[in-house]
Amino acid sequence: DADVTQTPRNRITKTGKRIMLECSQTKGHDRMYWYRQDPGLGLRLIYYSFDVKDINKGEISDGYSVSRQAQAKFSLSLESAIPNQTALYFCATSTGLAGAQQFFGPGTRLTVL
Amino acid sequence: AQSVTQLGSHVSVSEGALVLLRCNYSSSVPPYLFWYVQYPNQGLQLLLKYTTGATLVKGINGFEAEFKKSETSFHLTKPSAHMSDAAEYFCAVRMDSSYKLIFGSGTRLLVRP
């Protein structure tokens, strides 16, 4: 079984709709992250959470919100989706150890029409 | 601000040829350095990382990278390309005291038969 799972894997929605992307992990990590990937831009950090009560904005948080429901669950919401939020979204987890790698989920491909 | 530059958005090699993917970073202190690989329709998988110690780092699937502080580089190499190496490769940097993983824009490796 995958350690980091994301649902849905693919989603097509319309402008103005509210969308929630979900991430679950079984690695027992405290830290969780949401990234978006756009062609030619690499991955950019949207939000990150160091524990259930610690949530922080990343470099591109406008138009997004998150919820850390439990250590293992971290959801990303688009309150009112717009076409330029069409992208591939990744959840990742890590420990807090120096030099620790991040473990990535399989991604959610979101299309906003 | 820290940044990561990957030279060449696309690199094409023949099967059996040397693979060289370039990564340079800007940082005032030695960072932690990572190479991730992304196969089609999958999340990112760690290839290798440098934290401290030996500057030549060996990873999975025959890849290795060398940290050169004087050149602020962390180029990825593999002596002999295989068709299964075709994927997108991302270099990433993390500072010692920072949560933040900064990604390069990625290099897509094409392997010709």
Side-chain angles (χ1 to χ4, degrees):
Chain A
D1 290 338
D3 295 319
V4 184
T5 57
Q6 293 183 235
T7 56
R9 294 293 311 279
N10 289 281
R11 182 70 183 270
I12 299 174
T13 191
K14 294 182 178 179
T15 298
K17 293 291 187 180
R18 184 177 189 274
I19 295 297
M20 179 180 285
L21 308 182
E22 299 186 342
C23 176
S24 295
Q25 54 115 346
T26 58
K27 300 191 74 66
H29 291 166
D30 288 327
R31 299 186 175 192
M32 298 187 74
Y33 311 80
W34 275 105
Y35 293 90
R36 66 175 279 175
Q37 181 183 15
D38 298 279
L41 296 179
L43 277 74
R44 293 180 292 167
L45 184 64
I46 306 172
Y47 270 94
Y48 64 101
S49 170
F50 283 177
D51 63 43
V52 175
K53 296 181 180 180
D54 182 14
I55 293 177
N56 304 278
K57 293 181 178 180
E59 58 182 311
I60 54 164
S61 59
D62 287 349
Y64 301 96
S65 62
V66 291
S67 173
R68 186 83 183 263
Q69 301 94 325
Q71 186 205 37
K73 296 184 182 296
F74 193 36
S75 299
L76 176 71
S77 293
L78 287 67
E79 298 302 326
S80 180
I82 56 177
N84 75 1
Q85 291 177 315
T86 293
L88 191 53
Y89 290 84
F90 287 104
C91 175
T93 74
S94 76
T95 68
L97 295 174
Q101 69 175 93
Q102 293 184 12
F103 293 85
F104 286 81
T108 294
R109 185 169 297 279
L110 177 66
T111 302
V112 183
L113 302 176
Chain B
Q2 298 83 37
S3 65
V4 179
T5 301
Q6 290 185 241
L7 288 177
S9 59
H10 291 80
V11 170
S12 181
V13 300
S14 297
E15 190 173 19
L18 172 71
V19 176
L20 171 60
L21 304 183
R22 300 179 186 274
C23 174
N24 288 87
Y25 65 92
S26 65
S27 171
S28 58
V29 297
Y32 298 121
L33 297 157
F34 304 81
W35 274 100
Y36 283 87
V37 60
Q38 183 182 26
Y39 298 105
N41 300 314
Q42 295 186 27
L44 278 69
Q45 176 184 2
L46 184 71
L47 271 178
L48 49 78
K49 68 176 182 179
Y50 170 79
T51 55
T52 60
T55 56
L56 182 62
V57 180
K58 295 185 183 300
I60 62 172
N61 301 337
F63 284 93
E64 61 183 36
E66 186 170 11
F67 169 54
K68 293 187 176 181
K69 182 179 178 181
S70 61
E71 298 177 8
T72 59
S73 70
F74 191 55
H75 300 332
L76 182 71
T77 61
K78 181 173 180 178
S80 177
H82 192 274
M83 296 297 292
S84 60
D85 295 327
E88 189 156 21
Y89 293 79
F90 292 93
C91 181
V93 170
R94 178 183 167 184
M95 303 307 297
D96 185 23
S97 59
S98 169
Y99 66 92
K100 194 172 182 179
L101 203 58
I102 300 170
F103 285 87
S105 56
T107 297
R108 186 168 298 278
L109 176 65
L110 308 172
V111 182
R112 304 186 303 271

